[in-house]
Amino acid sequence: MSDSSDSEGQAPHVERKIPNILVTGTPGTGKTTTSEMIAEATGLTHVNVGDLVKQKQLHEGYLEEFDTHILDEDKLIDELEEVMEGGGKIVDFHSCGIFPERWFDLVLVLRAETNVLYPRMEKRNYNQRKITENIECEIMQVVLDEARESYAEEIVIELPSNDINDMESNVDRVRQWVDIYKANHS
Ligand SMILES: Nc1ncnc2c1ncn2[C@@H]1O[C@H](COP(=O)(O)OP(=O)(O)OP(=O)(O)O)[C@@H](O)[C@H]1O
Ligand SMILES: [Mg+2]
């Protein structure tokens, strides 16, 4: 568990009327597309952490070799703390252990097969090193393990995201889950 996690293995204790959902997974697994669709279906607000980091300069520079920004975790957590308090957020990020456990009511880990993930990244003109790293990360289920280490077992859900049918069924499941959550917390 990361340093920024406030509770030691305890379930989230904050009662929210509208839930916060974390959508995580290896780059290219469909987090942003799925989050936008969930937002549309539920009325929750999509927070794209990667975009926020760039917009608000929540980084300590750029790592050319890996074509990525070095995240300033403390700045990011400070920036999001108030945003998360109200509930109703869909947080979209490829890493999940950095956030406080208490922020989330549901953690979705999107998964994709190598044969669909590879062309998705090629299409985005990722350099070869980044593609290989991400493929290895997906095969070794790094993000899923990180999620299971960081959040209560019962709120971490692994979802296939290989094609549009998977995506639609994932969005529908989440929509139903949000409806039940809202009914139970009104
Ligand atoms: N389940 C899916 N079925 C078909 N296409 C998909 C699926 N998931 C993602 N894609 C496609 O793959 C590409 C990457 O998706 P998206 O941008 O949502 O991924 P991401 O997880 O947000 O990536 P990143 O971590 O780089 O932000 C997009 O072109 C998207 O349309
Ligand atoms: Mg994205």
Side-chain angles (χ1 to χ4, degrees):
M1 201 178 289
S2 81
D3 290 339
S4 55
S5 202
D6 64 331
S7 54
E8 288 171 19
Q10 291 162 5
H13 49 272
V14 186
E15 282 290 312
R16 281 175 281 268
K17 283 195 185 336
I18 319 174
N20 286 326
I21 302 173
L22 176 60
V23 180
T24 190
T26 305
T29 48
K31 298 179 295 296
T32 301
T33 318
T34 305
S35 297
E36 279 170 359
M37 287 169 71
I38 296 172
E40 175 97 25
T42 61
L44 270 61
T45 305
H46 176 204
V47 179
N48 186 327
V49 173
D51 288 353
L52 192 74
V53 167
K54 281 182 227 156
Q55 275 161 20
K56 304 231 164 175
Q57 305 262 306
L58 310 172
H59 54 76
E60 301 163 329
Y62 178 71
L63 209 57
E64 181 118 33
E65 196 184 353
F66 293 96
D67 183 22
T68 190
H69 285 93
I70 307 158
L71 182 67
D72 185 329
E73 293 186 14
D74 291 340
K75 265 196 202 165
L76 173 64
I77 303 302
D78 284 352
E79 181 74 33
L80 282 176
E81 187 71 68
E82 249 180 74
V83 174
M84 300 307 294
E85 250 169 40
K89 304 298 181 300
I90 305 161
V91 173
D92 155 7
F93 198 46
H94 53 74
S95 174
C96 59
I98 61 166
F99 304 117
E101 186 185 359
R102 66 190 148 77
W103 278 4
F104 298 106
D105 304 289
L106 183 68
V107 176
L108 305 176
V109 183
L110 301 187
R111 303 297 311 276
E113 308 273 354
T114 307
N115 63 335
V116 294
L117 196 54
Y118 201 98
R120 279 184 203 166
M121 284 193 275
E122 271 190 323
K123 228 173 164 180
R124 297 182 141 193
N125 296 321
Y126 280 4
N127 68 43
Q128 196 53 46
R129 179 168 192 159
K130 199 165 169 178
I131 294 182
T132 307
E133 279 222 342
N134 288 337
I135 291 286
E136 280 176 10
C137 167
E138 183 59 10
I139 290 170
M140 300 311 288
Q141 61 174 58
V142 172
V143 183
L144 181 63
D145 286 349
E146 189 186 355
R148 287 181 173 152
E149 278 165 26
S150 307
Y151 301 93
E153 186 185 1
E154 63 272 19
I155 73 161
V156 177
I157 311 291
E158 182 184 7
L159 294 172
S161 179
N162 293 306
D163 53 34
I164 194 71
N165 287 337
D166 285 344
M167 206 180 259
E168 281 172 359
S169 122
N170 294 338
V171 172
D172 200 50
R173 277 177 73 180
V174 177
R175 185 186 53 72
Q176 291 180 47
W177 179 88
V178 170
D179 283 346
I180 292 168
Y181 183 100
K182 281 186 184 165
N184 288 338
H185 294 80
S186 58

